[in-house]
């Protein structure tokens, strides 16, 4: 009997130790559990369930996707994962706007667990690259605010926008076919950009209702979660449930923002014209916005609201940790002293702001805190380059450790900085041959493959809407 009591005491001590060790997110998890969250019922402490780490995030344009990409980059580093990155000739995107092909993936970032840089979606090629259990996620934004952002951001690159007198959004929408040329470079920014990014036909006539319905159905079959920019925090809660992640894994700072002076207000009439011109994108948004709220209803609105509140409280603590008592102040690129934190500027007509870490705070940081806070606010171009350098170094180290005859094989991920709980990994196959640049849609058959996961997952707006 006394042996049994000693055994129970040891179990209790071990349990308390585990909970104290993970105290940073214990309260958050248990508060959500008290509300009876269905996804947490079987696992009151989410760390008992392995984190899912094989993820493709289709990074769409002007949808808060840079914030989401940063979150995934940090998750990869903490969990010793490999991120597929573009070859040098493609810059920081997978040779967008051409349809994605595995030839655009840097060979020293293989085999990947995560894909998140800009691409034009090609499921067949991704199936050849990624493991069987890969989960596909993307994000959409309300068509009016998204198109206004595209028009402002790409005004000096997209000829359909550039030829409009005085850069007038109203003039373009009054006569879009006068300025829009479907075959021109960067024309995908001027019409149905979400549809194009997802691999669809941006110029399919609005009257082709059957195509629109079929395309929405295709997207729903492929993507387990379609996030909504206007409800970013609610979307992150659903993502956390889907991937069995912790609170720490979904903390973020909003990135790639425009200044208020770079934005244009929209009348109801302009919004209607934008929806009519981007009818495919509008149908995608309407469908998946409704789908998001059905999923929230399934999890439990009270549960999701509680998790959103706890997420925001945790983010406030993180902001104080990195920026002191005051919230981070956005700065123009010229004002940011650290060049690794200066966001890319698309033109002189648009100001993209970023952040700088306070000197008086960073001097008292540990090296690990500095790395965390630096990565949290690092723009995508610099983060992509840094991640590629670290993965190239990792590749060289692992290649030297292998027998000579095995040097051509895929490298195994090794430990990097900010390591936390290990996440589940599996090995994808060898890259495939290239596909035509045009692409034919989300289920393109330009490359053979039998892998992939395509199951469906099913308040007030978050303050993280992309600008």
């Amino acid at each position: 009997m006394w042996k049994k009591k000693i055994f129970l005491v040891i179990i209790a001590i071990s349990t308390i130790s585990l909970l104290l060790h993970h105290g940073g997110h214990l309260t958050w998890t248990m508060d959500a559990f008290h509300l009876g969250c269905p996804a947490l019922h079987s696992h009151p402490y989410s760390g008992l369930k392995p984190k899912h780490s094989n993820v493709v995030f289709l990074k769409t344009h002007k949808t808060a996707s840079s914030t989401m990409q940063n979150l995934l980059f940090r998750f990869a580093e903490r969990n010793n994962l490999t991120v597929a990155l573009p070859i040098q000739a493609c810059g920081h995107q997978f040779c967008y706007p051409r349809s994605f092909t595995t030839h655009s993936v840097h060979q020293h970032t293989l085999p990947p667990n995560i894909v998140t840089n800009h691409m034009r979606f090609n499921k067949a090629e991704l199936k050849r690259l990624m493991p069987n259990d890969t989960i596909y996620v993307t994000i959409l934004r309300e068509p009016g605010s998204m198109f206004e952002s595209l028009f402002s951001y790409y005004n000096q690159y997209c000829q359909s926008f550039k030829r409009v007198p005085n850069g007038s959004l109203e003039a373009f929408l009054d006569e879009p076919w006068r300025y829009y040329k479907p075959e021109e470079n960067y024309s995908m920014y001027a019409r149905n950009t979400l549809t194009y990014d997802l691999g669809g036909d941006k110029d399919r006539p609005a009257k082709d209702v059957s195509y629109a319905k079929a395309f929405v159905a295709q997207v729903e079959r492929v993507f387990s979660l379609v996030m909504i920019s206007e409800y970013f925090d609610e979307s992150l809660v659903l993502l956390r449930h889907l991937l069995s992640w912790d609170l720490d894994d979904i903390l973020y700072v909003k990135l790639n923002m425009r200044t208020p002076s770079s934005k244009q207000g929209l009348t109801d009439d302009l919004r209607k014209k934008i929806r009519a011109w981007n009818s495919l994108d509008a149908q995608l948004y309407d469908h998946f916005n409704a789908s998001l709220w059905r999923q929230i209803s399934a999890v439990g609105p009270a549960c999701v609201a509680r998790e959103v509140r706890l997420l925001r409280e945790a983010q406030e603590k993180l902001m104080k940790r990195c920026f002191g008592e005051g919230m981070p102040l956005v700065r123009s690129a010229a004002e940011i002293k650290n060049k690794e934190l200066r966001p890319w500027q698309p033109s002189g007509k648009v100001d993209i702001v970023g952040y700088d870490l306070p000197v008086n705070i960073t001097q008292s940081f540990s090296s690990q805190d500095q790395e965390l806070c630096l990565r949290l606010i690092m723009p995508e171009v610099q983060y992509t380059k840094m991640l590629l350098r670290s993965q190239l170094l990792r590749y060289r180290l692992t290649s030297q450790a292998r027998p000579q005859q095995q040097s051509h094989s895929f490298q195994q991920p090794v430990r990097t900085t900010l390591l936390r709980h290990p996440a589940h990994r599996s090995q994808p196959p060898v890259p495939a041959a290239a596909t035509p640049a045009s692409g034919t849609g989300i289920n393109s058959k330009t490359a053979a493959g039998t892998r992939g996961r395509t199951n469906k997952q099913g308040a007030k707006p978050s303050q993280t809407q992309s600008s």
Side-chain angles (χ1 to χ4, degrees):
M1 187 68 179
W2 62 271
K3 290 183 178 180
K4 183 177 180 181
K5 290 182 178 179
I6 291 176
F7 175 74
L8 292 174
V9 169
I10 292 173
I11 292 296
I13 292 173
S14 300
T15 302
I16 292 171
S17 176
L18 175 66
L19 296 181
L20 289 175
H21 177 69
H22 296 289
H25 43 257
L26 170 64
T27 302
W28 178 79
T29 305
M30 292 307 295
D31 279 355
F33 177 64
H34 288 322
L35 282 176
C37 301
L40 296 177
H41 248 312
S42 300
H43 302 280
Y45 172 56
S46 61
L48 298 177
K49 186 177 181 181
K51 297 180 184 181
H52 195 95
S53 61
N54 296 319
V55 179
V56 168
F57 173 69
L58 179 64
K59 188 178 187 296
T60 50
H61 288 82
K62 309 312 297 173
T63 58
S65 62
S66 293
T67 301
M68 185 64 197
Q69 180 191 52
N70 180 280
L71 184 154
L72 288 166
F73 279 170
R74 287 182 285 113
F75 178 83
E77 288 198 281
R78 276 196 306 275
N79 290 282
N80 188 31
L81 304 176
T82 299
V83 179
L85 297 172
I87 57 176
Q88 186 174 2
C90 293
H92 66 286
Q93 305 178 353
F94 288 109
C95 290
Y96 186 88
R98 294 199 295 269
S99 185
F100 174 76
T101 165
T102 53
H103 282 299
S104 64
V105 182
H106 197 294
Q107 63 177 334
H108 294 165
T109 64
L110 298 170
N113 303 104
I114 290 175
V115 179
T116 181
N117 289 62
H118 275 304
M119 68 167 68
R120 188 180 186 202
F121 193 73
N122 184 334
K123 178 64 184 300
E125 285 286 279
L126 284 164
K127 284 172 66 177
R128 301 188 65 164
L129 178 70
M130 298 299 291
N132 284 335
D133 65 346
T134 297
I135 289 178
Y136 291 80
V137 178
T138 190
I139 187 168
L140 308 181
R141 182 181 178 186
E142 188 275 317
S145 56
M146 176 180 167
F147 192 78
E148 182 276 326
S149 183
L150 288 165
F151 189 86
S152 168
Y153 199 85
Y154 294 108
N155 196 271
Q156 299 303 303
Y157 295 90
C158 175
Q159 290 299 315
S160 299
F161 294 157
K162 195 172 183 180
R163 64 171 57 95
V164 181
N166 301 317
S168 170
L169 176 60
E170 292 85 349
F172 177 86
L173 292 171
D174 283 341
E175 299 179 278
W177 284 109
R178 178 179 178 181
Y179 307 107
Y180 175 70
K181 309 297 181 187
E183 303 306 320
E184 282 183 338
N185 288 339
Y186 306 114
S187 67
M188 66 281 177
Y189 296 133
R191 193 182 192 200
N192 289 314
T193 306
L194 292 173
T195 299
Y196 184 87
D197 287 353
L198 285 160
D201 181 357
K202 63 182 173 62
D203 295 305
R204 187 63 66 111
K207 63 183 179 181
D208 192 344
V209 177
S210 60
Y211 175 82
K213 289 182 177 179
F215 187 69
V216 168
Q218 284 182 340
V219 173
E220 193 160 40
R221 284 194 296 270
V222 171
F223 290 88
S224 298
L225 176 63
V226 177
M227 303 171 66
I228 297 296
S229 176
E230 288 75 19
Y231 302 101
F232 192 76
D233 289 351
E234 291 83 357
S235 297
L236 282 180
V237 169
L238 294 181
L239 181 76
R240 193 195 75 77
H241 284 217
L242 177 66
L243 301 178
S244 300
W245 284 8
D246 297 330
L247 170 65
D248 292 349
D249 299 322
I250 59 172
L251 299 178
Y252 67 89
V253 171
K254 185 179 178 182
L255 300 174
N256 204 31
M257 301 175 295
R258 290 177 295 157
T259 58
S261 62
S262 299
K263 301 178 184 180
Q264 176 179 344
L266 297 176
T267 63
D268 290 343
D269 183 57
L270 281 178
R271 289 188 183 277
K272 289 178 182 177
K273 288 180 178 179
I274 289 172
R275 286 181 62 89
W277 176 243
N278 299 276
S279 61
L280 290 172
D281 280 8
Q283 291 181 67
L284 281 168
Y285 179 83
D286 291 346
H287 177 88
F288 287 104
N289 185 35
S291 174
L292 179 86
W293 288 101
R294 286 194 297 271
Q295 293 177 63
I296 289 172
S297 179
V299 173
C303 166
V304 173
R306 174 66 67 87
E307 291 197 23
V308 166
R309 179 180 63 79
L310 294 167
L311 168 62
R312 291 171 181 171
E313 289 175 358
Q315 297 212 141
E316 185 176 349
K317 292 178 182 178
L318 180 60
M319 294 303 98
K320 290 180 179 179
R321 177 179 169 188
C322 289
F323 299 96
E325 288 302 315
M327 296 302 287
L329 298 176
V330 294
R331 300 180 183 278
S332 68
E335 294 176 317
I336 298 174
K337 297 178 181 179
N338 186 343
K339 66 179 181 180
E340 292 301 315
L341 299 178
R342 293 174 189 163
W344 179 72
Q345 304 297 305
S347 73
K349 296 184 177 181
V350 180
D351 293 322
I352 305 299
V353 294
Y355 307 92
D356 218 345
L357 291 177
V359 176
N360 60 326
I361 299 293
T362 56
Q363 288 176 346
S364 63
F365 275 3
S366 67
S367 59
Q368 189 175 27
D369 281 344
Q370 284 187 352
E371 288 179 358
L372 168 63
C373 296
L374 186 69
R375 284 159 168 75
L376 190 69
I377 59 176
M378 186 173 288
E380 67 173 292
V381 175
Q382 291 94 318
Y383 207 153
T384 297
K385 291 178 179 178
M386 185 190 73
L387 206 52
L388 179 59
R389 288 195 298 268
S390 68
Q391 292 188 170
L392 289 177
L393 175 61
R394 184 170 70 185
Y395 175 81
R396 287 196 291 269
L397 293 174
T398 54
S399 295
Q400 292 170 3
R402 288 198 210 100
Q404 187 65 32
Q405 65 270 23
Q406 295 181 4
S407 61
H408 65 281
S409 304
F410 281 141
Q411 72 276 18
Q412 298 290 332
V414 297
R415 293 185 182 276
T416 57
T417 59
L418 304 177
L419 183 63
R420 271 186 76 252
H421 309 303
H424 174 69
R425 297 186 292 273
S426 54
Q427 298 298 323
V430 181
T435 56
S438 60
T440 56
I442 198 166
N443 286 329
S444 172
K445 301 300 182 183
T446 55
T450 58
R451 295 187 164 214
R453 170 179 172 136
T454 58
N455 60 303
K456 182 175 72 174
Q457 176 81 6
K460 68 176 180 180
S462 304
Q463 301 302 311
T464 315
Q465 181 179 338
S466 177
S467 53

